[in-house]
PDB file of all heavy atoms in Angstrom:
ATOM      1  N   THR A 809      22.155   7.429 -29.812  1.00 95.00           N
ATOM      2  CA  THR A 809      21.235   8.616 -29.723  1.00 95.00           C
ATOM      3  C   THR A 809      21.017   9.206 -31.003  1.00 95.00           C
ATOM      4  O   THR A 809      20.057  10.140 -31.059  1.00 95.00           O
ATOM      5  CB  THR A 809      22.066   9.759 -28.925  1.00 95.00           C
ATOM      6  OG1 THR A 809      23.319   9.918 -29.538  1.00 95.00           O
ATOM      7  CG2 THR A 809      22.301   9.229 -27.486  1.00 95.00           C
ATOM      8  N   ILE A 810      21.497   8.691 -32.002  1.00 94.00           N
ATOM      9  CA  ILE A 810      21.014   9.159 -33.516  1.00 94.00           C
ATOM     10  C   ILE A 810      20.724   7.971 -34.308  1.00 94.00           C
ATOM     11  O   ILE A 810      21.326   6.972 -34.239  1.00 94.00           O
ATOM     12  CB  ILE A 810      22.024  10.055 -34.097  1.00 94.00           C
ATOM     13  CG1 ILE A 810      23.403   9.338 -34.191  1.00 94.00           C
ATOM     14  CG2 ILE A 810      22.286  11.419 -33.372  1.00 94.00           C
ATOM     15  CD1 ILE A 810      24.533  10.116 -34.965  1.00 94.00           C
ATOM     16  N   ILE A 811      19.792   8.072 -35.173  1.00 94.00           N
ATOM     17  CA  ILE A 811      19.337   7.008 -36.089  1.00 94.00           C
ATOM     18  C   ILE A 811      20.485   6.318 -36.786  1.00 94.00           C
ATOM     19  O   ILE A 811      20.548   5.192 -37.069  1.00 94.00           O
ATOM     20  CB  ILE A 811      18.196   7.438 -37.046  1.00 94.00           C
ATOM     21  CG1 ILE A 811      16.903   7.786 -36.039  1.00 94.00           C
ATOM     22  CG2 ILE A 811      17.795   6.434 -38.060  1.00 94.00           C
ATOM     23  CD1 ILE A 811      15.712   8.466 -36.932  1.00 94.00           C
ATOM     24  N   GLU A 812      21.462   7.284 -37.283  1.00 94.00           N
ATOM     25  CA  GLU A 812      22.430   6.756 -38.279  1.00 94.00           C
ATOM     26  C   GLU A 812      23.328   5.732 -37.495  1.00 94.00           C
ATOM     27  O   GLU A 812      23.928   4.895 -38.166  1.00 94.00           O
ATOM     28  CB  GLU A 812      23.286   7.897 -38.752  1.00 94.00           C
ATOM     29  CG  GLU A 812      22.630   8.801 -39.702  1.00 94.00           C
ATOM     30  CD  GLU A 812      21.604   9.679 -39.127  1.00 94.00           C
ATOM     31  OE1 GLU A 812      21.577   9.881 -37.831  1.00 94.00           O
ATOM     32  OE2 GLU A 812      20.682  10.358 -39.878  1.00 94.00           O
ATOM     33  N   GLU A 813      23.291   5.755 -36.233  1.00 95.00           N
ATOM     34  CA  GLU A 813      24.227   4.812 -35.456  1.00 95.00           C
ATOM     35  C   GLU A 813      23.504   3.431 -35.250  1.00 95.00           C
ATOM     36  O   GLU A 813      24.072   2.510 -34.676  1.00 95.00           O
ATOM     37  CB  GLU A 813      24.651   5.331 -34.152  1.00 95.00           C
ATOM     38  CG  GLU A 813      25.547   6.548 -34.447  1.00 95.00           C
ATOM     39  CD  GLU A 813      25.982   7.142 -33.017  1.00 95.00           C
ATOM     40  OE1 GLU A 813      25.433   6.697 -31.955  1.00 95.00           O
ATOM     41  OE2 GLU A 813      26.873   8.028 -32.999  1.00 95.00           O
ATOM     42  N   LEU A 814      22.163   3.293 -35.673  1.00 96.00           N
ATOM     43  CA  LEU A 814      21.463   2.094 -35.364  1.00 96.00           C
ATOM     44  C   LEU A 814      21.893   0.928 -36.189  1.00 96.00           C
ATOM     45  O   LEU A 814      22.236   1.105 -37.403  1.00 96.00           O
ATOM     46  CB  LEU A 814      20.009   2.327 -35.553  1.00 96.00           C
ATOM     47  CG  LEU A 814      19.167   2.915 -34.468  1.00 96.00           C
ATOM     48  CD1 LEU A 814      17.843   3.363 -34.978  1.00 96.00           C
ATOM     49  CD2 LEU A 814      19.072   2.137 -33.229  1.00 96.00           C
ATOM     50  N   GLU A 815      22.004  -0.118 -35.643  1.00 95.00           N
ATOM     51  CA  GLU A 815      22.111  -1.508 -36.371  1.00 95.00           C
ATOM     52  C   GLU A 815      21.349  -2.541 -35.589  1.00 95.00           C
ATOM     53  O   GLU A 815      20.875  -2.317 -34.554  1.00 95.00           O
ATOM     54  CB  GLU A 815      23.580  -1.855 -36.420  1.00 95.00           C
ATOM     55  CG  GLU A 815      24.337  -1.920 -35.056  1.00 95.00           C
ATOM     56  CD  GLU A 815      25.733  -2.190 -35.251  1.00 95.00           C
ATOM     57  OE1 GLU A 815      26.475  -1.266 -35.779  1.00 95.00           O
ATOM     58  OE2 GLU A 815      26.234  -3.255 -34.709  1.00 95.00           O
ATOM     59  N   VAL A 816      21.129  -3.621 -36.177  1.00 95.00           N
ATOM     60  CA  VAL A 816      20.259  -4.716 -35.551  1.00 95.00           C
ATOM     61  C   VAL A 816      20.786  -4.914 -34.140  1.00 95.00           C
ATOM     62  O   VAL A 816      21.954  -5.258 -33.908  1.00 95.00           O
ATOM     63  CB  VAL A 816      20.227  -5.994 -36.436  1.00 95.00           C
ATOM     64  CG1 VAL A 816      19.568  -7.045 -35.665  1.00 95.00           C
ATOM     65  CG2 VAL A 816      19.588  -5.724 -37.780  1.00 95.00           C
ATOM     66  N   GLY A 817      19.870  -4.916 -33.173  1.00 94.00           N
ATOM     67  CA  GLY A 817      20.213  -5.240 -31.720  1.00 94.00           C
ATOM     68  C   GLY A 817      20.372  -4.019 -30.932  1.00 94.00           C
ATOM     69  O   GLY A 817      20.317  -4.014 -29.723  1.00 94.00           O
ATOM     70  N   LYS A 818      20.604  -2.786 -31.651  1.00 96.00           N
ATOM     71  CA  LYS A 818      20.936  -1.579 -31.071  1.00 96.00           C
ATOM     72  C   LYS A 818      19.448  -0.898 -30.788  1.00 96.00           C
ATOM     73  O   LYS A 818      18.463  -1.263 -31.300  1.00 96.00           O
ATOM     74  CB  LYS A 818      21.727  -0.577 -31.831  1.00 96.00           C
ATOM     75  CG  LYS A 818      23.116  -1.039 -32.045  1.00 96.00           C
ATOM     76  CD  LYS A 818      23.872  -1.068 -30.664  1.00 96.00           C
ATOM     77  CE  LYS A 818      25.460  -1.355 -30.977  1.00 96.00           C
ATOM     78  NZ  LYS A 818      26.230  -1.357 -29.772  1.00 96.00           N
ATOM     79  N   ARG A 819      19.369   0.053 -29.886  1.00 97.00           N
ATOM     80  CA  ARG A 819      18.191   0.682 -29.557  1.00 97.00           C
ATOM     81  C   ARG A 819      18.395   2.147 -29.340  1.00 97.00           C
ATOM     82  O   ARG A 819      19.359   2.778 -29.149  1.00 97.00           O
ATOM     83  CB  ARG A 819      17.746   0.099 -28.196  1.00 97.00           C
ATOM     84  CG  ARG A 819      18.663   0.315 -26.955  1.00 97.00           C
ATOM     85  CD  ARG A 819      18.038  -0.424 -25.721  1.00 97.00           C
ATOM     86  NE  ARG A 819      18.091  -1.924 -25.936  1.00 97.00           N
ATOM     87  CZ  ARG A 819      17.376  -2.683 -25.109  1.00 97.00           C
ATOM     88  NH1 ARG A 819      16.594  -2.058 -24.151  1.00 97.00           N
ATOM     89  NH2 ARG A 819      17.305  -3.981 -25.281  1.00 97.00           N
ATOM     90  N   ILE A 820      17.177   2.871 -29.515  1.00 97.00           N
ATOM     91  CA  ILE A 820      17.146   4.269 -29.438  1.00 97.00           C
ATOM     92  C   ILE A 820      16.017   4.700 -28.698  1.00 97.00           C
ATOM     93  O   ILE A 820      14.893   4.151 -28.768  1.00 97.00           O
ATOM     94  CB  ILE A 820      17.102   4.977 -30.835  1.00 97.00           C
ATOM     95  CG1 ILE A 820      17.385   6.484 -30.771  1.00 97.00           C
ATOM     96  CG2 ILE A 820      15.838   4.605 -31.594  1.00 97.00           C
ATOM     97  CD1 ILE A 820      17.657   7.054 -32.031  1.00 97.00           C
ATOM     98  N   ARG A 821      16.016   5.853 -27.798  1.00 97.00           N
ATOM     99  CA  ARG A 821      15.072   6.251 -26.975  1.00 97.00           C
ATOM    100  C   ARG A 821      13.965   7.042 -27.643  1.00 97.00           C
ATOM    101  O   ARG A 821      14.305   7.633 -28.564  1.00 97.00           O
ATOM    102  CB  ARG A 821      15.708   7.035 -25.821  1.00 97.00           C
ATOM    103  CG  ARG A 821      14.827   7.233 -24.562  1.00 97.00           C
ATOM    104  CD  ARG A 821      15.662   7.599 -23.436  1.00 97.00           C
ATOM    105  NE  ARG A 821      14.867   7.874 -22.191  1.00 97.00           N
ATOM    106  CZ  ARG A 821      15.387   7.746 -21.011  1.00 97.00           C
ATOM    107  NH1 ARG A 821      16.587   7.303 -20.804  1.00 97.00           N
ATOM    108  NH2 ARG A 821      14.596   8.043 -19.898  1.00 97.00           N
ATOM    109  N   CYS A 822      12.752   6.894 -27.112  1.00 97.00           N
ATOM    110  CA  CYS A 822      11.636   7.643 -27.759  1.00 97.00           C
ATOM    111  C   CYS A 822      10.621   8.066 -26.685  1.00 97.00           C
ATOM    112  O   CYS A 822      10.597   7.350 -25.638  1.00 97.00           O
ATOM    113  CB  CYS A 822      10.942   6.940 -28.900  1.00 97.00           C
ATOM    114  SG  CYS A 822       9.852   7.912 -29.762  1.00 97.00           S
ATOM    115  N   HIS A 823       9.865   9.110 -26.896  1.00 98.00           N
ATOM    116  CA  HIS A 823       8.813   9.440 -25.892  1.00 98.00           C
ATOM    117  C   HIS A 823       7.379   9.363 -26.384  1.00 98.00           C
ATOM    118  O   HIS A 823       7.204   9.467 -27.661  1.00 98.00           O
ATOM    119  CB  HIS A 823       8.946  10.949 -25.616  1.00 98.00           C
ATOM    120  CG  HIS A 823       8.044  11.420 -24.488  1.00 98.00           C
ATOM    121  ND1 HIS A 823       8.217  11.031 -23.175  1.00 98.00           N
ATOM    122  CD2 HIS A 823       6.917  12.166 -24.399  1.00 98.00           C
ATOM    123  CE1 HIS A 823       7.325  11.632 -22.472  1.00 98.00           C
ATOM    124  NE2 HIS A 823       6.257  12.246 -23.178  1.00 98.00           N
ATOM    125  N   TYR A 824       6.453   8.949 -25.493  1.00 98.00           N
ATOM    126  CA  TYR A 824       5.100   8.689 -25.961  1.00 98.00           C
ATOM    127  C   TYR A 824       4.217   9.213 -24.834  1.00 98.00           C
ATOM    128  O   TYR A 824       4.356   8.882 -23.628  1.00 98.00           O
ATOM    129  CB  TYR A 824       4.864   7.209 -26.215  1.00 98.00           C
ATOM    130  CG  TYR A 824       3.443   6.856 -26.680  1.00 98.00           C
ATOM    131  CD1 TYR A 824       2.965   7.257 -28.040  1.00 98.00           C
ATOM    132  CD2 TYR A 824       2.522   6.254 -25.769  1.00 98.00           C
ATOM    133  CE1 TYR A 824       1.678   6.836 -28.361  1.00 98.00           C
ATOM    134  CE2 TYR A 824       1.236   5.969 -26.216  1.00 98.00           C
ATOM    135  CZ  TYR A 824       0.917   6.229 -27.504  1.00 98.00           C
ATOM    136  OH  TYR A 824      -0.394   5.998 -27.921  1.00 98.00           O
TER     137      TYR A 824
END
Side-chain angles (χ1 to χ4, degrees):
T809 58
I810 57 175
I811 292 177
E812 288 75 15
E813 294 179 352
L814 279 170
E815 56 187 61
V816 173
K818 295 292 186 180
R819 59 184 64 198
I820 190 167
R821 194 158 176 157
C822 188
H823 185 75
Y824 180 72

